[in-house]
Amino acid sequence: MTATEVQTLKSDRAPKPENLIGVRHFQCLLLFILSNVNHGLRSNTPIAIVAMTDAQGANPDFPEYKWTPSTQSYILSSFFWGYLISILPAGLLARRFGAKNVLLVACVCSSIACVFIPTGAQIGGWGFVCALRMLQGLFQGCFNPCLHTLLSVWVPPSERSRLAGFVYAGGYLGNVVTTATSGLIAVSSVGWPGIYYISGSIGLVWAVLYFFMGSSSPEESMYISTNEKSYIQTCLGQVTAVRVIRHIKTPWKKVFTSLPFYALIIAHFVGNWNSGTMTTQVPTYIKNILNYDMKESALLSALPYFVKWLTSFAFSALSDFIINHQYFSVGTSRKFFNSIGTYGSGLILVALALLPYDQPITAIVLLILSVGLSSGAMFGYLLNHLDLSPIHAGILMGISNFAGTCASVVAPLFAGSVLNDHKNAYEWQIVFFVAAGLKFVGNTVYIIFAKGDIQPWNYSTANPAPIKASLEKKDDDKENV
């Protein structure tokens, strides 16, 4: 698609296809499954490590390792050491080779590393486990930048919150399924090694499915209709073909001098600190402070993420509704939902920290509310890359996710340094207070400096600014909702 053709697209939007379900929806379904698989591969170790260090509480027929809380924190954070290496170049790799190809390689390699973790623990102890987790992180660091790259060319702006939210909500469901089933697997006849074998096998199955059905862009899809392809292109008003996008230069200086983008980075850092803390520490908190057994701990740890998954659908529909009907601007909507996911969940986290430890049911309710409300941030900072610069969204995600992953690395290490005794309620208060405080500070910065409109540096000769942007046709947007 040439620059002239792009400008023509921007001034004449194609009609919305009559079919309720299109190829763009099926592509998002595949990515939803990937998000599920991705988080399953990532979040299985916080559950498995409980059984690995307490065989009597799970299945005594399998090896037990006497790892200290500090050693466990290294294992839990090692995933993100590799993740940090690949995040920054991931967006560029997706642009150069196509997001589909990068995702396939990443998923296959990460799944294989997962399968080898039980063997690695027996051969090389916790050091070998850290190495394999780091290898997993190295390949999974490509996932989010690739997802943003794909969403930027497959999803029209009027459907952005619903479809992009659906894709990323797969991660929440992945946490639910993995957390709920890992405890059951650990106490079963296959023991804790089965957690890794099953997760890795599912990842390999997804890769086979995506190899045949996935596509890096509408232009490359063998299944999309001409009508749907034209609709996507004219709604986006930009190039979507990989062969064209790979030649567009990234305006690095303008990106790194953009105040709205820095606000997004800070929000991403805070969001990942919270998720890193909750994902890695909640199973241990429920077992040691609330005194639930292994099986109960796994199921209760999954419950907050199930609620988070459900609330994400409500927030996604509401987000698109208020934007498409012009009740809020895109920027105001992003700030509103980010505040729900930070101020709201942060206040509840403070209440949890202050709660006496002899009230386990109330503690579980507060955990559910805090984690459930945090899904609001998905429709704040997490989609904001697509608002600021659709054409560079994958690269922007790589940059902000690098900052977020730094938080994911430090958060479990910080928790490990504070939690010298997992049964000490005061030490858990410190962990929760710090997470809540960062939420309050980060969202305040985001509210002040974030934007929701496309930034001028999104455009270039190969991707020119619109003559008459189709996004301004608000009446058409309403008819297409």
Side-chain angles (χ1 to χ4, degrees), residues 1 6 9 149-150 152-155 216-220 229 232-234 236-245 248 391 463:
M1 198 185 323
V6 173
L9 287 176
T149 298
L150 290 166
S152 71
V153 297
W154 273 106
V155 178
S216 289
S217 70
E219 284 84 354
E220 296 181 6
K229 180 165 64 176
I232 294 172
Q233 291 171 336
T234 55
L236 290 172
Q238 67 174 46
V239 295
T240 57
V242 175
R243 68 180 185 277
V244 177
I245 292 177
I248 295 178
I391 204 70
N463 181 52

Side-chain angles (χ1 to χ4, degrees), residues 316-480:
S316 69
L318 181 59
S319 176
D320 270 345
F321 179 82
I322 63 179
I323 291 173
N324 292 331
H325 289 80
Q326 303 180 58
Y327 295 124
F328 285 173
S329 67
V330 173
T332 301
S333 174
R334 298 292 182 239
K335 294 175 183 179
F336 173 71
F337 284 101
N338 209 70
S339 296
I340 292 175
T342 51
Y343 287 157
S345 66
L347 287 171
I348 296 173
L349 197 58
V350 170
L352 176 64
L354 296 174
L355 185 73
Y357 66 88
D358 59 349
Q359 299 182 31
I361 295 178
T362 305
I364 293 296
V365 171
L366 291 176
L367 271 174
I368 291 171
L369 290 174
S370 181
V371 174
L373 285 179
S374 68
S375 69
M378 178 196 296
F379 310 99
Y381 78 85
L382 192 60
L383 299 187
N384 204 192
H385 315 75
L386 297 164
D387 304 322
L388 297 180
S389 179
I391 204 70
H392 302 297
I395 293 172
L396 299 185
M397 169 56 85
I399 297 170
S400 73
N401 205 20
F402 179 85
T405 304
C406 289
S408 297
V409 171
V410 175
L413 292 176
F414 169 77
S417 67
V418 172
L419 298 171
N420 296 309
D421 178 4
H422 283 166
K423 294 185 178 295
N424 187 322
Y426 173 73
E427 293 177 355
W428 282 102
Q429 283 185 335
I430 297 174
V431 172
F432 291 146
F433 279 143
V434 169
L438 287 174
K439 279 175 173 282
F440 299 147
V441 174
N443 190 59
T444 301
V445 173
Y446 187 77
I447 288 175
I448 296 172
F449 297 109
K451 301 287 184 182
D453 51 334
I454 296 178
Q455 300 300 291
W457 41 267
N458 176 72
Y459 303 110
S460 63
T461 303
N463 181 52
I467 295 174
K468 183 180 180 181
S470 58
L471 290 179
E472 294 176 357
K473 298 180 180 180
K474 300 296 184 181
D475 292 337
D476 289 345
D477 277 338
K478 292 181 180 181
E479 294 175 3
N480 290 331

Side-chain angles (χ1 to χ4, degrees), residues 108-329:
V108 169
C109 294
S110 178
S111 298
I112 292 174
C114 179
V115 169
F116 276 101
I117 286 179
T119 303
Q122 288 184 304
I123 295 175
W126 70 271
F128 208 145
V129 174
C130 282
L132 287 169
R133 289 275 294 167
M134 183 175 177
L135 190 62
Q136 276 190 287
L138 180 67
F139 289 106
Q140 287 202 28
C142 299
F143 283 10
N144 282 359
C146 285
L147 290 180
H148 256 47
T149 298
L150 290 166
L151 292 171
S152 71
V153 297
W154 273 106
V155 178
S158 62
E159 302 173 356
R160 182 169 290 163
S161 292
R162 282 166 292 174
L163 291 183
F166 173 69
V167 168
Y168 281 106
Y172 303 152
L173 184 60
N175 278 336
V176 171
V177 174
T178 302
T179 305
T181 59
S182 292
L184 299 176
I185 295 171
V187 300
S188 72
S189 59
V190 297
W192 63 260
I195 296 173
Y196 295 105
Y197 297 146
I198 294 172
S199 297
S201 298
I202 293 173
L204 294 174
V205 171
W206 179 88
V208 174
L209 177 64
Y210 194 63
F211 177 81
F212 291 104
M213 304 299 294
S215 180
S216 289
S217 70
E219 284 84 354
E220 296 181 6
S221 174
M222 297 184 296
Y223 309 103
I224 195 169
S225 67
T226 301
N227 186 20
E228 184 180 10
K229 180 165 64 176
S230 297
Y231 172 70
I232 294 172
Q233 291 171 336
T234 55
C235 284
L236 290 172
Q238 67 174 46
V239 295
T240 57
V242 175
R243 68 180 185 277
V244 177
I245 292 177
R246 66 163 53 108
H247 298 296
I248 295 178
K249 295 182 179 179
T250 305
W252 295 110
K253 182 177 179 180
K254 293 179 180 179
V255 168
F256 283 109
T257 55
S258 172
L259 198 56
F261 183 49
Y262 277 109
L264 189 160
I265 290 174
I266 292 171
H268 203 150
F269 180 92
V270 170
N272 275 39
W273 181 286
N274 179 71
S275 62
T277 298
M278 303 302 282
T279 302
T280 60
Q281 304 303 322
V282 163
T284 304
Y285 172 80
I286 291 176
K287 180 177 183 292
N288 291 282
I289 294 296
L290 305 185
N291 296 315
Y292 287 99
D293 63 28
M294 178 71 192
K295 187 183 297 186
E296 292 172 329
S297 176
L299 293 173
L300 290 172
S301 296
L303 189 56
Y305 292 97
F306 179 70
V307 174
K308 187 175 184 179
W309 180 60
L310 293 177
T311 56
S312 71
F313 289 107
F315 289 149
S316 69
L318 181 59
S319 176
D320 270 345
F321 179 82
I322 63 179
I323 291 173
N324 292 331
H325 289 80
Q326 303 180 58
Y327 295 124
F328 285 173
S329 67

